Amino acid sequence: DQLLSLIRQSLFGRYVTILGEEAGLHFLLRFDDQTKEREAIHSLRQKRIRIVGYQDYFWERNDQASCCFVMGYAGLKEKAMMRFIAEIEDMWMKQHFEFVRPNLSMEKAYFEYLEEWGKEAKMVPFAARFQQDSFEAWLDQKKREEDPQTTPEGWVSATLFALMVDGKIAGFLHLRHDLNEHLLQVGGHIGYGIRPSMRGKGYAKIMLRLGLLEAKKLGLSKVLITADDDNPASYRTIESCGGILENRFHEEEHDVLRYWIDIQTREF
């Protein structure tokens, strides 16, 4: 079934269990994380998504129980399915993740993040590296990089975002507002990286998805992202977010893959 397939491929797909999928026109979608049912339903209904919580079928609610939706999909067309999944993804991400510019409150988390990467590791994106005398100076540098008037010579203006999960920095994403000749070939609009201990949990896809939303807010219609051909985790993440391979070229010891993502027409 198409809807079941979309759920399994979604950002929240690895965090849910589908119950009763052979029952007919309804099934249960149970979140196996800390998703809160009442908040989820309220958020979705504000977006005019008609959804019923499993707890609504009981005389007394148990707000400690897992979030579970009763899903009916008779007559649901593909476009409606896509919007439905996108709205659930949006609700789920807002409950579990923060996607924010670096700020003073994350100083301790930032230095813990640096320590995990280690001094010799090639941290990505480059913009997340610490090259100042103090955390305050680093924050000031990141802020100046957002303004074309104060961006260092030869650079394009850009914004750095942190993906926060349970008070920890899971990774950083660097969103460049424009492209110069070099970025058009190699760097692209977006560079991102996940800390070593938090890889393999789908956070890269979540962070890239949030980064594409920010790119859309900037007024960009399409986004260029590149990946090395010896990094399948990276280029598969790009492809899962709608990346279309334009070409590849050889650089030093590997090939660079250049992907474009149309964010103007894509449903987020």
Side-chain angles (χ1 to χ4, degrees), residues 192-218:
Y192 60 93
I194 298 293
R195 69 192 297 167
S197 67
M198 299 182 79
R199 293 173 184 165
K201 299 181 179 181
Y203 293 150
K205 184 177 178 180
I206 290 165
M207 187 162 65
L208 179 54
R209 175 73 172 274
L210 291 167
L212 293 172
L213 286 169
E214 293 297 331
K216 197 169 187 177
K217 292 177 186 177
L218 283 176

Side-chain angles (χ1 to χ4, degrees), residues 198-240:
M198 299 182 79
R199 293 173 184 165
K201 299 181 179 181
Y203 293 150
K205 184 177 178 180
I206 290 165
M207 187 162 65
L208 179 54
R209 175 73 172 274
L210 291 167
L212 293 172
L213 286 169
E214 293 297 331
K216 197 169 187 177
K217 292 177 186 177
L218 283 176
L220 298 177
S221 59
K222 60 180 183 177
V223 168
L224 174 67
I225 310 179
T226 66
D228 295 343
D229 70 338
D230 58 358
N231 189 352
S234 181
Y235 63 70
R236 285 172 185 159
T237 295
I238 297 169
E239 290 170 353
S240 72

Side-chain angles (χ1 to χ4, degrees), residues 51-70:
I51 200 160
V52 178
Y54 188 57
Q55 288 294 313
D56 290 342
Y57 287 87
F58 291 84
W59 287 106
E60 294 183 0
R61 293 190 60 91
N62 177 8
D63 289 326
Q64 301 305 312
S66 298
C67 174
C68 190
F69 299 146
V70 180

Side-chain angles (χ1 to χ4, degrees), residues 11 14 16 20 31 34 50 57 87 92 97 116 123 143 155 171 188 211 230 234 238 241 247 255-256:
L11 295 178
R14 65 172 64 199
V16 298
F31 285 79
Q34 300 301 311
R50 295 171 58 190
Y57 287 87
E87 295 294 0
W92 180 76
F97 307 100
E116 182 173 318
M123 182 191 295
K143 188 173 183 179
W155 290 35
D230 58 358
S234 181
I238 297 169
C241 288
N247 61 8
D255 282 359
V256 175

Side-chain angles (χ1 to χ4, degrees), residues 70-97:
V70 180
M71 310 285 286
Y73 55 98
L76 202 59
K77 299 187 182 301
E78 182 178 0
K79 187 175 182 180
M81 289 183 191
M82 297 292 289
R83 177 174 175 264
F84 176 69
I85 295 298
E87 295 294 0
I88 293 182
E89 286 181 330
D90 183 61
M91 170 279 298
W92 180 76
M93 287 190 294
K94 287 178 178 176
Q95 278 205 27
H96 295 283
F97 307 100

Side-chain angles (χ1 to χ4, degrees), residues 12-64:
F12 57 84
R14 65 172 64 199
Y15 300 97
V16 298
T17 300
I18 298 171
L19 304 169
E21 59 183 280
E22 304 295 335
L25 299 179
H26 293 79
F27 60 87
L28 297 179
L29 182 66
R30 186 186 71 202
F31 285 79
D32 299 321
D33 52 17
Q34 300 301 311
T35 301
K36 297 178 176 61
E37 186 174 299
R38 277 189 173 182
E39 291 182 19
I41 291 174
H42 176 71
S43 173
L44 292 168
R45 286 179 178 172
Q46 284 187 319
K47 300 288 186 67
R48 297 184 178 181
I49 299 294
R50 295 171 58 190
I51 200 160
V52 178
Y54 188 57
Q55 288 294 313
D56 290 342
Y57 287 87
F58 291 84
W59 287 106
E60 294 183 0
R61 293 190 60 91
N62 177 8
D63 289 326
Q64 301 305 312

